[in-house]
mmCIF file of all heavy atoms in Angstrom:
data_model
loop_
_atom_site.group_PDB
_atom_site.id
_atom_site.type_symbol
_atom_site.label_atom_id
_atom_site.label_comp_id
_atom_site.label_asym_id
_atom_site.label_seq_id
_atom_site.Cartn_x
_atom_site.Cartn_y
_atom_site.Cartn_z
ATOM 1 N N TYR C 1 -4.678 -1.220 22.258
ATOM 2 C CA TYR C 1 -5.569 -2.282 21.807
ATOM 3 C C TYR C 1 -4.783 -3.456 21.082
ATOM 4 O O TYR C 1 -5.164 -4.577 21.174
ATOM 5 C CB TYR C 1 -6.609 -1.720 20.818
ATOM 6 C CG TYR C 1 -7.564 -0.771 21.532
ATOM 7 C CD1 TYR C 1 -7.333 0.663 21.272
ATOM 8 C CD2 TYR C 1 -8.533 -1.161 22.410
ATOM 9 C CE1 TYR C 1 -8.141 1.549 21.861
ATOM 10 C CE2 TYR C 1 -9.355 -0.164 23.015
ATOM 11 C CZ TYR C 1 -9.100 1.181 22.747
ATOM 12 O OH TYR C 1 -9.939 2.116 23.354
ATOM 13 N N THR C 2 -3.718 -3.037 20.366
ATOM 14 C CA THR C 2 -3.006 -4.052 19.551
ATOM 15 C C THR C 2 -1.639 -4.462 19.976
ATOM 16 O O THR C 2 -1.063 -5.431 19.601
ATOM 17 C CB THR C 2 -2.932 -3.489 18.088
ATOM 18 O OG1 THR C 2 -1.942 -2.425 18.048
ATOM 19 C CG2 THR C 2 -4.234 -3.070 17.515
ATOM 20 N N GLY C 3 -1.050 -3.590 20.815
ATOM 21 C CA GLY C 3 0.372 -3.705 21.122
ATOM 22 C C GLY C 3 1.226 -3.372 19.898
ATOM 23 O O GLY C 3 0.680 -2.977 18.830
ATOM 24 N N PHE C 4 2.587 -3.391 20.044
ATOM 25 C CA PHE C 4 3.387 -2.925 18.984
ATOM 26 C C PHE C 4 3.368 -3.808 17.754
ATOM 27 O O PHE C 4 3.773 -3.387 16.682
ATOM 28 C CB PHE C 4 4.813 -2.569 19.415
ATOM 29 C CG PHE C 4 5.686 -3.769 19.877
ATOM 30 C CD1 PHE C 4 7.037 -3.836 19.743
ATOM 31 C CD2 PHE C 4 5.085 -4.939 20.537
ATOM 32 C CE1 PHE C 4 7.807 -4.836 20.138
ATOM 33 C CE2 PHE C 4 5.828 -5.980 20.926
ATOM 34 C CZ PHE C 4 7.206 -5.912 20.772
ATOM 35 N N LEU C 5 2.915 -5.057 17.888
ATOM 36 C CA LEU C 5 2.855 -5.912 16.731
ATOM 37 C C LEU C 5 1.724 -5.448 15.731
ATOM 38 O O LEU C 5 1.663 -5.718 14.617
ATOM 39 C CB LEU C 5 2.710 -7.369 17.046
ATOM 40 C CG LEU C 5 3.863 -8.035 17.631
ATOM 41 C CD1 LEU C 5 3.643 -9.581 17.858
ATOM 42 C CD2 LEU C 5 5.105 -7.856 16.934
ATOM 43 N N GLY C 6 0.768 -4.687 16.294
ATOM 44 C CA GLY C 6 -0.216 -3.983 15.414
ATOM 45 C C GLY C 6 0.451 -3.046 14.459
ATOM 46 O O GLY C 6 0.036 -2.921 13.368
ATOM 47 N N GLY C 7 1.499 -2.442 14.967
ATOM 48 C CA GLY C 7 2.252 -1.498 14.087
ATOM 49 C C GLY C 7 2.987 -2.271 13.050
ATOM 50 O O GLY C 7 3.091 -1.808 11.914
ATOM 51 N N SER C 8 3.521 -3.439 13.354
ATOM 52 C CA SER C 8 4.156 -4.260 12.407
ATOM 53 C C SER C 8 3.141 -4.705 11.280
ATOM 54 O O SER C 8 3.550 -4.564 10.077
ATOM 55 C CB SER C 8 4.676 -5.530 13.034
ATOM 56 O OG SER C 8 5.689 -5.256 13.979
ATOM 57 N N VAL C 9 1.948 -5.079 11.636
ATOM 58 C CA VAL C 9 0.962 -5.404 10.583
ATOM 59 C C VAL C 9 0.588 -4.253 9.741
ATOM 60 O O VAL C 9 0.542 -4.355 8.458
ATOM 61 C CB VAL C 9 -0.295 -6.009 11.249
ATOM 62 C CG1 VAL C 9 -1.432 -6.184 10.205
ATOM 63 C CG2 VAL C 9 -0.060 -7.227 12.041
ATOM 64 N N TRP C 10 0.504 -3.099 10.284
ATOM 65 C CA TRP C 10 0.191 -1.860 9.577
ATOM 66 C C TRP C 10 1.314 -1.572 8.508
ATOM 67 O O TRP C 10 1.016 -1.285 7.354
ATOM 68 C CB TRP C 10 0.095 -0.746 10.546
ATOM 69 C CG TRP C 10 -0.387 0.616 10.064
ATOM 70 C CD1 TRP C 10 -1.224 0.805 9.023
ATOM 71 C CD2 TRP C 10 -0.052 1.888 10.569
ATOM 72 N NE1 TRP C 10 -1.448 2.170 8.859
ATOM 73 C CE2 TRP C 10 -0.747 2.842 9.790
ATOM 74 C CE3 TRP C 10 0.748 2.303 11.601
ATOM 75 C CZ2 TRP C 10 -0.649 4.153 10.070
ATOM 76 C CZ3 TRP C 10 0.794 3.663 11.882
ATOM 77 C CH2 TRP C 10 0.116 4.656 11.098
ATOM 78 N N ILE C 11 2.522 -1.667 8.892
ATOM 79 C CA ILE C 11 3.646 -1.336 8.019
ATOM 80 C C ILE C 11 3.706 -2.405 6.854
ATOM 81 O O ILE C 11 3.774 -2.009 5.654
ATOM 82 C CB ILE C 11 5.003 -1.417 8.852
ATOM 83 C CG1 ILE C 11 5.126 -0.149 9.702
ATOM 84 C CG2 ILE C 11 6.148 -1.481 7.847
ATOM 85 C CD1 ILE C 11 6.241 -0.288 10.711
ATOM 86 N N LEU C 12 3.525 -3.649 7.235
ATOM 87 C CA LEU C 12 3.633 -4.667 6.183
ATOM 88 C C LEU C 12 2.441 -4.635 5.193
ATOM 89 O O LEU C 12 2.697 -4.820 3.988
ATOM 90 C CB LEU C 12 3.683 -6.037 6.887
ATOM 91 C CG LEU C 12 4.868 -6.321 7.731
ATOM 92 C CD1 LEU C 12 4.672 -7.527 8.590
ATOM 93 C CD2 LEU C 12 6.097 -6.604 6.827
ATOM 94 N N PHE C 13 1.266 -4.345 5.703
ATOM 95 C CA PHE C 13 0.128 -4.328 4.808
ATOM 96 C C PHE C 13 0.231 -3.170 3.856
ATOM 97 O O PHE C 13 -0.010 -3.294 2.632
ATOM 98 C CB PHE C 13 -1.144 -4.148 5.707
ATOM 99 C CG PHE C 13 -2.437 -4.455 4.978
ATOM 100 C CD1 PHE C 13 -2.485 -5.264 3.880
ATOM 101 C CD2 PHE C 13 -3.550 -3.733 5.384
ATOM 102 C CE1 PHE C 13 -3.673 -5.505 3.199
ATOM 103 C CE2 PHE C 13 -4.792 -3.976 4.597
ATOM 104 C CZ PHE C 13 -4.803 -4.842 3.577
ATOM 105 N N VAL C 14 0.619 -2.025 4.227
ATOM 106 C CA VAL C 14 0.760 -0.812 3.419
ATOM 107 C C VAL C 14 1.843 -1.118 2.416
ATOM 108 O O VAL C 14 1.733 -0.764 1.220
ATOM 109 C CB VAL C 14 1.036 0.421 4.219
ATOM 110 C CG1 VAL C 14 1.358 1.651 3.279
ATOM 111 C CG2 VAL C 14 -0.146 0.807 5.090
ATOM 112 N N ASN C 15 3.015 -1.682 2.837
ATOM 113 C CA ASN C 15 4.041 -2.044 1.839
ATOM 114 C C ASN C 15 3.551 -2.958 0.773
ATOM 115 O O ASN C 15 3.816 -2.709 -0.420
ATOM 116 C CB ASN C 15 5.293 -2.701 2.622
ATOM 117 C CG ASN C 15 6.274 -1.811 3.078
ATOM 118 O OD1 ASN C 15 7.168 -1.438 2.402
ATOM 119 N ND2 ASN C 15 6.078 -1.354 4.272
ATOM 120 N N LEU C 16 2.740 -3.938 1.116
ATOM 121 C CA LEU C 16 2.261 -4.889 0.155
ATOM 122 C C LEU C 16 1.282 -4.179 -0.783
ATOM 123 O O LEU C 16 1.386 -4.438 -2.007
ATOM 124 C CB LEU C 16 1.519 -5.967 0.889
ATOM 125 C CG LEU C 16 0.878 -7.119 0.023
ATOM 126 C CD1 LEU C 16 1.980 -7.818 -0.778
ATOM 127 C CD2 LEU C 16 0.165 -8.166 0.841
ATOM 128 N N LEU C 17 0.414 -3.339 -0.365
ATOM 129 C CA LEU C 17 -0.500 -2.611 -1.186
ATOM 130 C C LEU C 17 0.211 -1.723 -2.156
ATOM 131 O O LEU C 17 -0.168 -1.602 -3.392
ATOM 132 C CB LEU C 17 -1.491 -1.835 -0.367
ATOM 133 C CG LEU C 17 -2.487 -2.637 0.436
ATOM 134 C CD1 LEU C 17 -3.445 -1.738 1.274
ATOM 135 C CD2 LEU C 17 -3.365 -3.524 -0.481
ATOM 136 N N ILE C 18 1.245 -0.946 -1.681
ATOM 137 C CA ILE C 18 2.002 -0.166 -2.629
ATOM 138 C C ILE C 18 2.743 -0.911 -3.712
ATOM 139 O O ILE C 18 2.771 -0.606 -4.864
ATOM 140 C CB ILE C 18 3.030 0.727 -1.854
ATOM 141 C CG1 ILE C 18 2.319 1.699 -0.837
ATOM 142 C CG2 ILE C 18 4.015 1.421 -2.693
ATOM 143 C CD1 ILE C 18 3.201 2.499 0.022
ATOM 144 N N PHE C 19 3.303 -2.092 -3.290
ATOM 145 C CA PHE C 19 3.945 -2.948 -4.272
ATOM 146 C C PHE C 19 2.977 -3.398 -5.340
ATOM 147 O O PHE C 19 3.288 -3.470 -6.528
ATOM 148 C CB PHE C 19 4.587 -4.097 -3.596
ATOM 149 C CG PHE C 19 4.864 -5.347 -4.473
ATOM 150 C CD1 PHE C 19 5.963 -5.232 -5.361
ATOM 151 C CD2 PHE C 19 4.125 -6.371 -4.377
ATOM 152 C CE1 PHE C 19 6.239 -6.222 -6.250
ATOM 153 C CE2 PHE C 19 4.442 -7.562 -5.299
ATOM 154 C CZ PHE C 19 5.491 -7.373 -6.227
ATOM 155 N N LEU C 20 1.694 -3.876 -4.936
ATOM 156 C CA LEU C 20 0.824 -4.342 -5.867
ATOM 157 C C LEU C 20 0.437 -3.300 -6.872
ATOM 158 O O LEU C 20 0.021 -3.646 -8.025
ATOM 159 C CB LEU C 20 -0.447 -4.885 -5.122
ATOM 160 C CG LEU C 20 -0.209 -6.142 -4.263
ATOM 161 C CD1 LEU C 20 -1.450 -6.498 -3.501
ATOM 162 C CD2 LEU C 20 0.253 -7.282 -5.133
ATOM 163 N N VAL C 21 0.483 -2.004 -6.552
ATOM 164 C CA VAL C 21 0.279 -0.945 -7.521
ATOM 165 C C VAL C 21 1.314 -0.777 -8.486
ATOM 166 O O VAL C 21 1.112 -0.656 -9.748
ATOM 167 C CB VAL C 21 -0.056 0.410 -6.717
ATOM 168 C CG1 VAL C 21 -0.127 1.581 -7.687
ATOM 169 C CG2 VAL C 21 -1.272 0.317 -5.929
ATOM 170 N N ILE C 22 2.577 -0.933 -8.055
ATOM 171 C CA ILE C 22 3.682 -0.594 -8.976
ATOM 172 C C ILE C 22 4.333 -1.865 -9.555
ATOM 173 O O ILE C 22 5.332 -1.835 -10.346
ATOM 174 C CB ILE C 22 4.826 0.185 -8.195
ATOM 175 C CG1 ILE C 22 5.416 -0.602 -7.004
ATOM 176 C CG2 ILE C 22 4.175 1.514 -7.745
ATOM 177 C CD1 ILE C 22 6.710 -1.232 -7.294
ATOM 178 N N ARG C 23 3.830 -3.055 -9.231
ATOM 179 C CA ARG C 23 4.566 -4.313 -9.599
ATOM 180 C C ARG C 23 4.622 -4.527 -11.118
ATOM 181 O O ARG C 23 5.464 -5.296 -11.630
ATOM 182 C CB ARG C 23 3.839 -5.503 -8.972
ATOM 183 C CG ARG C 23 2.449 -5.791 -9.494
ATOM 184 C CD ARG C 23 1.725 -6.815 -8.542
ATOM 185 N NE ARG C 23 2.317 -8.126 -8.746
ATOM 186 C CZ ARG C 23 1.657 -9.123 -9.302
ATOM 187 N NH1 ARG C 23 0.409 -8.952 -9.794
ATOM 188 N NH2 ARG C 23 2.174 -10.279 -9.476
ATOM 189 N N THR C 24 3.758 -3.890 -11.906
ATOM 190 C CA THR C 24 3.810 -4.124 -13.399
ATOM 191 C C THR C 24 4.778 -3.254 -14.029
ATOM 192 O O THR C 24 4.927 -3.387 -15.300
ATOM 193 C CB THR C 24 2.391 -3.881 -13.958
ATOM 194 O OG1 THR C 24 1.962 -2.556 -13.663
ATOM 195 C CG2 THR C 24 1.354 -4.854 -13.405
ATOM 196 N N TYR C 25 5.436 -2.316 -13.355
ATOM 197 C CA TYR C 25 6.369 -1.474 -13.997
ATOM 198 C C TYR C 25 7.690 -2.297 -14.333
ATOM 199 O O TYR C 25 8.088 -3.108 -13.552
ATOM 200 C CB TYR C 25 6.782 -0.271 -13.075
ATOM 201 C CG TYR C 25 7.716 0.659 -13.766
ATOM 202 C CD1 TYR C 25 7.164 1.710 -14.583
ATOM 203 C CD2 TYR C 25 9.084 0.610 -13.639
ATOM 204 C CE1 TYR C 25 8.061 2.643 -15.192
ATOM 205 C CE2 TYR C 25 9.940 1.481 -14.210
ATOM 206 C CZ TYR C 25 9.354 2.480 -14.974
ATOM 207 O OH TYR C 25 10.219 3.369 -15.682
ATOM 208 N N PRO C 26 8.329 -2.048 -15.541
ATOM 209 C CA PRO C 26 8.087 -1.096 -16.450
ATOM 210 C C PRO C 26 7.185 -1.620 -17.679
ATOM 211 O O PRO C 26 7.047 -0.909 -18.662
ATOM 212 C CB PRO C 26 9.457 -0.748 -17.059
ATOM 213 C CG PRO C 26 10.201 -2.045 -17.003
ATOM 214 C CD PRO C 26 9.660 -2.742 -15.714
ATOM 215 N N GLN C 27 6.708 -2.858 -17.546
ATOM 216 C CA GLN C 27 5.959 -3.393 -18.635
ATOM 217 C C GLN C 27 4.660 -2.561 -18.906
ATOM 218 O O GLN C 27 4.165 -2.429 -19.984
ATOM 219 C CB GLN C 27 5.551 -4.808 -18.411
ATOM 220 C CG GLN C 27 6.716 -5.860 -18.459
ATOM 221 C CD GLN C 27 7.520 -5.805 -17.178
ATOM 222 O OE1 GLN C 27 7.165 -5.240 -16.152
ATOM 223 N NE2 GLN C 27 8.795 -6.369 -17.276
ATOM 224 N N GLN C 28 4.110 -2.051 -17.795
ATOM 225 C CA GLN C 28 2.840 -1.285 -17.902
ATOM 226 C C GLN C 28 3.091 0.062 -17.139
ATOM 227 O O GLN C 28 3.774 0.141 -16.176
ATOM 228 C CB GLN C 28 1.730 -2.041 -17.298
ATOM 229 C CG GLN C 28 1.329 -3.351 -18.122
ATOM 230 C CD GLN C 28 0.150 -3.994 -17.446
ATOM 231 O OE1 GLN C 28 -0.643 -3.411 -16.759
ATOM 232 N NE2 GLN C 28 0.016 -5.288 -17.708
ATOM 233 N N HIS C 29 2.363 1.110 -17.597
ATOM 234 C CA HIS C 29 2.415 2.333 -16.962
ATOM 235 C C HIS C 29 1.686 2.252 -15.537
ATOM 236 O O HIS C 29 0.663 1.684 -15.444
ATOM 237 C CB HIS C 29 1.697 3.450 -17.760
ATOM 238 C CG HIS C 29 1.706 4.829 -17.093
ATOM 239 N ND1 HIS C 29 2.848 5.527 -16.949
ATOM 240 C CD2 HIS C 29 0.683 5.478 -16.557
ATOM 241 C CE1 HIS C 29 2.559 6.709 -16.365
ATOM 242 N NE2 HIS C 29 1.292 6.676 -16.176
ATOM 243 N N VAL C 30 2.366 2.815 -14.553
ATOM 244 C CA VAL C 30 1.785 2.828 -13.189
ATOM 245 C C VAL C 30 0.727 3.879 -13.100
ATOM 246 O O VAL C 30 1.043 5.098 -13.321
ATOM 247 C CB VAL C 30 2.888 2.988 -12.100
ATOM 248 C CG1 VAL C 30 2.333 3.113 -10.745
ATOM 249 C CG2 VAL C 30 3.962 1.840 -12.193
ATOM 250 N N GLU C 31 -0.417 3.537 -12.621
ATOM 251 C CA GLU C 31 -1.493 4.542 -12.389
ATOM 252 C C GLU C 31 -1.428 4.912 -10.954
ATOM 253 O O GLU C 31 -1.835 4.181 -10.098
ATOM 254 C CB GLU C 31 -2.883 3.881 -12.711
ATOM 255 C CG GLU C 31 -3.089 3.462 -14.182
ATOM 256 C CD GLU C 31 -4.490 3.005 -14.504
ATOM 257 O OE1 GLU C 31 -5.447 3.620 -14.028
ATOM 258 O OE2 GLU C 31 -4.549 1.905 -15.165
ATOM 259 N N LEU C 32 -0.915 6.163 -10.773
ATOM 260 C CA LEU C 32 -0.705 6.642 -9.428
ATOM 261 C C LEU C 32 -1.962 6.801 -8.621
ATOM 262 O O LEU C 32 -1.972 6.760 -7.403
ATOM 263 C CB LEU C 32 0.055 7.972 -9.435
ATOM 264 C CG LEU C 32 1.501 7.954 -10.000
ATOM 265 C CD1 LEU C 32 2.101 9.310 -10.039
ATOM 266 C CD2 LEU C 32 2.316 6.943 -9.215
ATOM 267 N N LYS C 33 -3.108 6.961 -9.358
ATOM 268 C CA LYS C 33 -4.430 7.170 -8.666
ATOM 269 C C LYS C 33 -4.719 5.895 -7.898
ATOM 270 O O LYS C 33 -5.568 5.911 -6.931
ATOM 271 C CB LYS C 33 -5.503 7.451 -9.610
ATOM 272 C CG LYS C 33 -5.824 6.419 -10.643
ATOM 273 C CD LYS C 33 -6.899 6.896 -11.618
ATOM 274 C CE LYS C 33 -7.189 5.787 -12.644
ATOM 275 N NZ LYS C 33 -8.360 6.168 -13.608
ATOM 276 N N LYS C 34 -4.132 4.782 -8.239
ATOM 277 C CA LYS C 34 -4.417 3.513 -7.520
ATOM 278 C C LYS C 34 -3.737 3.505 -6.141
ATOM 279 O O LYS C 34 -3.995 2.551 -5.349
ATOM 280 C CB LYS C 34 -4.004 2.251 -8.326
ATOM 281 C CG LYS C 34 -4.762 2.017 -9.616
ATOM 282 C CD LYS C 34 -4.346 0.814 -10.328
ATOM 283 C CE LYS C 34 -5.157 0.572 -11.523
ATOM 284 N NZ LYS C 34 -4.718 -0.709 -12.244
ATOM 285 N N LEU C 35 -2.941 4.441 -5.830
ATOM 286 C CA LEU C 35 -2.271 4.576 -4.494
ATOM 287 C C LEU C 35 -3.262 5.104 -3.420
ATOM 288 O O LEU C 35 -2.860 5.242 -2.315
ATOM 289 C CB LEU C 35 -1.035 5.428 -4.624
ATOM 290 C CG LEU C 35 0.146 4.835 -5.337
ATOM 291 C CD1 LEU C 35 1.226 5.905 -5.538
ATOM 292 C CD2 LEU C 35 0.691 3.633 -4.630
ATOM 293 N N TRP C 36 -4.503 5.391 -3.822
ATOM 294 C CA TRP C 36 -5.385 5.938 -2.920
ATOM 295 C C TRP C 36 -5.679 5.036 -1.698
ATOM 296 O O TRP C 36 -5.809 5.470 -0.548
ATOM 297 C CB TRP C 36 -6.765 6.373 -3.559
ATOM 298 C CG TRP C 36 -7.601 5.062 -3.993
ATOM 299 C CD1 TRP C 36 -7.562 4.431 -5.189
ATOM 300 C CD2 TRP C 36 -8.539 4.387 -3.152
ATOM 301 N NE1 TRP C 36 -8.442 3.355 -5.175
ATOM 302 C CE2 TRP C 36 -9.029 3.342 -3.951
ATOM 303 C CE3 TRP C 36 -9.004 4.538 -1.880
ATOM 304 C CZ2 TRP C 36 -9.990 2.425 -3.469
ATOM 305 C CZ3 TRP C 36 -9.964 3.643 -1.423
ATOM 306 C CH2 TRP C 36 -10.364 2.619 -2.229
ATOM 307 N N LEU C 37 -5.817 3.715 -1.974
ATOM 308 C CA LEU C 37 -6.022 2.790 -0.827
ATOM 309 C C LEU C 37 -4.915 2.690 0.109
ATOM 310 O O LEU C 37 -5.188 2.812 1.360
ATOM 311 C CB LEU C 37 -6.338 1.360 -1.471
ATOM 312 C CG LEU C 37 -6.693 0.275 -0.379
ATOM 313 C CD1 LEU C 37 -7.865 0.728 0.461
ATOM 314 C CD2 LEU C 37 -6.975 -1.060 -1.122
ATOM 315 N N PRO C 38 -3.600 2.454 -0.218
ATOM 316 C CA PRO C 38 -2.613 2.489 0.802
ATOM 317 C C PRO C 38 -2.515 3.904 1.432
ATOM 318 O O PRO C 38 -2.180 3.898 2.694
ATOM 319 C CB PRO C 38 -1.282 2.193 -0.006
ATOM 320 C CG PRO C 38 -1.589 2.301 -1.457
ATOM 321 C CD PRO C 38 -3.087 2.044 -1.567
ATOM 322 N N LEU C 39 -2.804 4.941 0.766
ATOM 323 C CA LEU C 39 -2.776 6.254 1.396
ATOM 324 C C LEU C 39 -3.775 6.331 2.410
ATOM 325 O O LEU C 39 -3.604 6.952 3.581
ATOM 326 C CB LEU C 39 -2.883 7.302 0.274
ATOM 327 C CG LEU C 39 -2.726 8.780 0.819
ATOM 328 C CD1 LEU C 39 -1.277 8.970 1.305
ATOM 329 C CD2 LEU C 39 -3.013 9.749 -0.377
ATOM 330 N N VAL C 40 -4.956 5.855 2.161
ATOM 331 C CA VAL C 40 -6.069 5.860 3.111
ATOM 332 C C VAL C 40 -5.731 5.020 4.357
ATOM 333 O O VAL C 40 -5.956 5.385 5.511
ATOM 334 C CB VAL C 40 -7.419 5.311 2.529
ATOM 335 C CG1 VAL C 40 -8.406 5.012 3.584
ATOM 336 C CG2 VAL C 40 -7.952 6.367 1.555
ATOM 337 N N LEU C 41 -5.080 3.878 4.072
ATOM 338 C CA LEU C 41 -4.701 2.953 5.180
ATOM 339 C C LEU C 41 -3.556 3.587 5.970
ATOM 340 O O LEU C 41 -3.239 3.041 7.061
ATOM 341 C CB LEU C 41 -4.292 1.574 4.625
ATOM 342 C CG LEU C 41 -5.510 0.823 4.172
ATOM 343 C CD1 LEU C 41 -5.112 -0.514 3.516
ATOM 344 C CD2 LEU C 41 -6.558 0.521 5.279
ATOM 345 N N ILE C 42 -2.872 4.531 5.493
ATOM 346 C CA ILE C 42 -1.824 5.276 6.331
ATOM 347 C C ILE C 42 -2.553 6.309 7.120
ATOM 348 O O ILE C 42 -2.320 6.442 8.402
ATOM 349 C CB ILE C 42 -0.814 5.901 5.408
ATOM 350 C CG1 ILE C 42 0.092 4.836 4.800
ATOM 351 C CG2 ILE C 42 0.057 6.861 6.275
ATOM 352 C CD1 ILE C 42 1.096 5.377 3.771
ATOM 353 N N ILE C 43 -3.473 7.099 6.482
ATOM 354 C CA ILE C 43 -4.011 8.248 7.107
ATOM 355 C C ILE C 43 -5.002 7.899 8.196
ATOM 356 O O ILE C 43 -5.054 8.503 9.272
ATOM 357 C CB ILE C 43 -4.704 9.177 6.066
ATOM 358 C CG1 ILE C 43 -3.591 9.754 5.141
ATOM 359 C CG2 ILE C 43 -5.463 10.296 6.715
ATOM 360 C CD1 ILE C 43 -4.078 10.563 3.932
ATOM 361 N N VAL C 44 -5.935 6.967 7.867
ATOM 362 C CA VAL C 44 -6.957 6.583 8.882
ATOM 363 C C VAL C 44 -6.496 6.227 10.279
ATOM 364 O O VAL C 44 -6.893 6.764 11.279
ATOM 365 C CB VAL C 44 -7.956 5.566 8.272
ATOM 366 C CG1 VAL C 44 -8.930 5.107 9.289
ATOM 367 C CG2 VAL C 44 -8.752 6.190 7.100
ATOM 368 N N PRO C 45 -5.499 5.222 10.321
ATOM 369 C CA PRO C 45 -5.017 4.993 11.707
ATOM 370 C C PRO C 45 -4.341 6.107 12.375
ATOM 371 O O PRO C 45 -4.430 6.237 13.627
ATOM 372 C CB PRO C 45 -4.026 3.824 11.411
ATOM 373 C CG PRO C 45 -4.439 3.182 10.192
ATOM 374 C CD PRO C 45 -5.012 4.323 9.344
#
């Protein structure tokens, strides 16, 4: 349905979401529970 560029979007989007979770480190403690969204976006596809 998407071709291999669909895989590129998938990789980039998950990378971005993970970064947004950890971007405040070390000024703020990283809440690992916030990784649930990128984890879902890995598992569902």
Side-chain angles (χ1 to χ4, degrees):
Y1 299 101
T2 69
F4 66 149
L5 290 188
S8 297
V9 173
W10 188 28
I11 290 169
L12 295 165
F13 192 31
V14 173
N15 269 273
L16 181 59
L17 291 177
I18 293 175
F19 162 71
L20 292 175
V21 172
I22 63 98
R23 66 190 289 247
T24 58
Y25 185 85
Q27 289 79 16
Q28 298 179 23
H29 179 68
V30 176
E31 296 183 47
L32 295 180
K33 64 181 181 181
K34 291 183 178 180
L35 289 171
W36 69 269
L37 181 55
L39 189 60
V40 167
L41 288 176
I42 291 173
I43 293 174
V44 169

